Amino acid sequence: MREMGSDLFDPRSEMEPQFSQSSDGNFGFAFNDSNFSDRVLRIEVVGGPSECRSDGEGGCCTSIADWARLRKRRREDALDITVCPEEQILNEPDMDDCDGCENLDDAVAMVEESPSGDEAASSNDSGWSMDSSTVLKIKTLHISSPILAAKSPFFYKLFSNGMRESEQRHVTLRINASEEAALMELLNFMYSTTLSANTAPALLDVLMAADKFEVASCMRYCSRLLRNLPMTPDSALLYLELPSSVLMGEAVQPLTDAAKQYLAARYKDINRYQEEVMGLPLAGIEAILSCDDLQVASEDAVYDFILRWARGQYPVLEERREVLGSRLARYIRFPYMSCRKLKKVLSCNDFDHEVASKLVLEALFFKAEAPHRQRTLAAEECTTSNRRFVERAYKYRPVKVVEFELPRQQCVVYLDLKKEECTNLFPSGRVYSQAFHLGGQGFFLSAHCNMDQQSSFHCFGLFLGMQEKGSVTFAVDYEFAARSKPTEEYMSKYKGNYTFTGGKAVGYRNLFAIPWTNFMAEDSHYFINGILHLRAELTIRN
């Protein structure tokens, strides 16, 4: 029994959360049976442009791609419905508030009328005008208003509007021919809580009908069946581009979440599928960029990719600025971009200057925060859709850089590594930092798990490398340091000087002069709250 005062249409109080087939909620025996019905539903099926059926029974709409093309054509060929003001019309609720809503292409109206016997003439004279469309056929069904009203707020309002028409036995519904199969499936579901449709195109048609008539239980059922079907890039993109009414957003959220997860997992390695990804629509790009496990070198690479994609998809500057500012900027994690790239953002014409300034300023403030404060901000965003402070699993680890021009060109570089990252280095792994610059030349740090010089045990090594650029030589003084307990201050570990040529690296195989097991031990002096804090100072030699 439903509790007194509970909302009849609250999804949390649905009677069939697992779509049970028990006799308690199954009224299939009463479908279209006059013995268990109090009204007659008269369905007028009107013709439009030639369409293929999607019910999988000999029709041409047998794939997701066919369904998408067909729906696009239906939108382009949408019929215009006008109604004579003298006749009482009960339009679909809230349609006037849905400017541009996709459901408008299949606009539905319901007319309450008495069984006068002149129904055909009444239909022609009623004031309906459907631009050269004619009624192809009429279906008559016996319906139970309590059953339909219990499943759908749409029918509940229709049958309880308090007007004289609501007391009449006959209800007329006019639909497009393309909706007929889906509507019959929907009506049957409202009685039996089952569907015979089992293909993606057919289920999508039923889902659209269920959205239109506000049958949330059927929408959830279709969503569950669609999630159980094999996912493809085409189907995932289609699910993300379904109409976004509030009801559909709630009922189909598990389906859209599954679609996003599928796309994010499939295209996690953007470089591998670069050509394919560049052709994806906006919804697909958003799903991929929301992923924390994106396999990219750095956030700089993410920014460059988004600019290339936006320039290809939106050649008009105004449109591109709108999409970047309102849709895509939230997926770029500016706080993890290099300062050199952030400077370029400020001068990038693709972003509105005001938007770019705000994004860069926020990123710089984050970079200036203490590490514990950064972790707090990231943790706060882990439970939200906005993840600009959450670090991805970059191939190259982010660094903080402080640069000096006088009295000598110098930079101080800070690299933090999590203990689990160090654990994953054993027995012969390495991790690289993002590039940083000194005197116009690019450098990087690399942390290694390697054997000591006598090859007697594993140990932690740190190296400084110069990016390869021809035969340029560069003389540098460098110093490596790390925070250490109990003072937690940076302690110098190694000093040296080196004349670099392109592609060369220098460093120390055993930075802490202890075996790997001691370095990684629970009582290690070098992990502070699970973080290894490293520092490198580079100075150009005169």
Side-chain angles (χ1 to χ4, degrees), residues 44 46-47 77-84 89-92 95-96 103-111 126-133 173-176 179 212:
E44 295 180 352
V46 299
D77 297 331
L79 300 176
D80 178 31
I81 300 181
T82 57
V83 182
C84 179
I89 303 296
L90 299 174
N91 290 308
E92 184 172 356
M95 291 295 284
D96 291 338
N103 281 349
L104 288 176
D105 64 313
D106 298 322
V108 174
M110 304 193 75
V111 186
S126 65
W128 285 94
S129 171
M130 299 193 75
D131 286 358
S132 74
S133 295
L173 172 62
R174 183 173 287 192
I175 62 170
N176 260 322
E179 299 176 293
K212 176 178 293 186

Side-chain angles (χ1 to χ4, degrees), residues 339 399-403 410-414 434-437:
C339 290
V399 291
K400 289 183 179 180
V401 183
V402 181
E403 299 180 40
Q410 182 184 40
C411 69
V412 183
V413 184
Y414 297 90
Q434 294 178 7
F436 53 92
H437 294 78

Side-chain angles (χ1 to χ4, degrees), residues 439-441 466-475 499-504:
Q441 184 61 49
M466 187 175 83
Q467 292 180 318
E468 189 166 358
K469 272 194 176 179
S471 57
V472 176
T473 59
F474 222 73
T499 299
F500 285 93
T501 56
K504 298 295 183 180

Side-chain angles (χ1 to χ4, degrees), residues 294-313:
L294 209 57
Q295 293 177 0
V296 287
S298 65
E299 198 66 25
D300 289 5
V302 174
Y303 171 82
D304 289 338
F305 165 77
I306 289 178
L307 278 190
R308 288 198 307 273
W309 180 86
R311 288 166 181 169
Q313 296 285 336

Side-chain angles (χ1 to χ4, degrees), residues 275-348:
E275 186 175 339
E276 192 174 340
V277 173
M278 289 297 288
L280 293 177
L282 180 58
I285 294 298
E286 289 177 318
I288 294 169
L289 295 179
S290 64
C291 177
D292 294 341
D293 299 322
L294 209 57
Q295 293 177 0
V296 287
S298 65
E299 198 66 25
D300 289 5
V302 174
Y303 171 82
D304 289 338
F305 165 77
I306 289 178
L307 278 190
R308 288 198 307 273
W309 180 86
R311 288 166 181 169
Q313 296 285 336
Y314 298 92
V316 179
L317 179 60
E318 290 74 17
E319 292 180 0
R320 187 161 66 249
R321 280 185 172 179
E322 173 63 25
V323 169
L324 285 170
S326 64
R327 298 287 296 273
L328 290 178
R330 72 187 72 173
Y331 297 104
I332 304 175
R333 305 185 186 184
F334 291 93
Y336 294 99
M337 288 172 58
S338 67
C339 290
R340 287 172 65 89
K341 186 64 75 173
L342 288 175
K343 290 178 184 177
K344 293 183 179 181
V345 174
L346 289 174
S347 59
C348 179

Side-chain angles (χ1 to χ4, degrees), residues 163-233:
M163 294 184 289
R164 182 184 62 83
E165 289 85 350
S166 67
E167 300 173 2
Q168 303 297 333
R169 289 193 65 248
H170 284 59
V171 181
T172 298
L173 172 62
R174 183 173 287 192
I175 62 170
N176 260 322
S178 60
E179 299 176 293
E180 181 186 352
L183 177 61
M184 295 305 295
E185 283 275 13
L186 176 63
L187 291 172
N188 184 67
F189 175 89
M190 294 169 77
Y191 278 80
S192 65
T193 69
T194 61
L195 292 174
S196 61
N198 56 12
T199 65
L203 288 169
L204 283 166
D205 277 340
V206 177
L207 179 64
M208 299 300 291
D211 176 49
K212 176 178 293 186
F213 293 104
E214 303 176 63
V215 188
S217 57
C218 185
M219 294 176 68
R220 287 193 295 276
Y221 189 75
C222 290
S223 173
R224 187 184 69 137
L225 294 180
L226 287 167
R227 291 200 311 277
N228 290 337
L229 294 176
M231 192 83 75
T232 67

Side-chain angles (χ1 to χ4, degrees), residues 30-267:
F31 182 60
N32 197 23
D33 189 324
S34 59
N35 293 318
F36 302 99
S37 305
D38 61 338
R39 294 176 187 262
V40 174
L41 177 64
R42 184 174 180 272
I43 304 174
E44 295 180 352
V45 181
V46 299
S50 60
E51 308 199 41
C52 57
R53 294 182 57 184
S54 61
D55 56 5
E57 298 176 1
C60 62
C61 189
T62 58
S63 71
I64 283 289
D66 289 339
W67 191 92
R69 285 193 295 269
L70 176 59
R71 179 149 186 83
K72 180 179 179 182
R73 194 173 75 217
R74 289 177 191 167
R75 287 199 298 269
E76 292 169 350
D77 297 331
L79 300 176
D80 178 31
I81 300 181
T82 57
V83 182
C84 179
E86 288 83 10
E87 186 169 18
Q88 176 65 49
I89 303 296
L90 299 174
N91 290 308
E92 184 172 356
D94 301 323
M95 291 295 284
D96 291 338
D97 297 330
C98 187
D99 278 342
C101 178
E102 285 194 36
N103 281 349
L104 288 176
D105 64 313
D106 298 322
V108 174
M110 304 193 75
V111 186
E112 292 279 8
E113 59 185 24
S114 58
S116 61
D118 299 321
E119 290 163 334
S122 173
S123 174
N124 293 332
D125 298 334
S126 65
W128 285 94
S129 171
M130 299 193 75
D131 286 358
S132 74
S133 295
T134 56
V135 176
L136 300 179
K137 59 181 175 179
I138 296 175
K139 278 193 171 184
T140 302
L141 296 176
H142 296 280
I143 59 172
S144 167
S145 56
I147 291 178
L148 298 189
K151 296 284 186 179
S152 160
F154 179 89
F155 285 105
Y156 180 85
K157 294 172 188 174
L158 177 66
F159 298 138
S160 62
N161 59 21
M163 294 184 289
R164 182 184 62 83
E165 289 85 350
S166 67
E167 300 173 2
Q168 303 297 333
R169 289 193 65 248
H170 284 59
V171 181
T172 298
L173 172 62
R174 183 173 287 192
I175 62 170
N176 260 322
S178 60
E179 299 176 293
E180 181 186 352
L183 177 61
M184 295 305 295
E185 283 275 13
L186 176 63
L187 291 172
N188 184 67
F189 175 89
M190 294 169 77
Y191 278 80
S192 65
T193 69
T194 61
L195 292 174
S196 61
N198 56 12
T199 65
L203 288 169
L204 283 166
D205 277 340
V206 177
L207 179 64
M208 299 300 291
D211 176 49
K212 176 178 293 186
F213 293 104
E214 303 176 63
V215 188
S217 57
C218 185
M219 294 176 68
R220 287 193 295 276
Y221 189 75
C222 290
S223 173
R224 187 184 69 137
L225 294 180
L226 287 167
R227 291 200 311 277
N228 290 337
L229 294 176
M231 192 83 75
T232 67
D234 284 341
S235 64
L237 291 169
L238 190 57
Y239 300 154
L240 294 179
E241 293 177 335
L242 290 171
S244 56
S245 67
V246 175
L247 179 61
M248 172 161 279
E250 179 182 348
V252 190
Q253 192 67 50
L255 178 62
T256 56
D257 286 345
K260 290 176 183 177
Q261 291 167 9
Y262 170 83
L263 291 173
R266 177 180 174 84
Y267 298 113

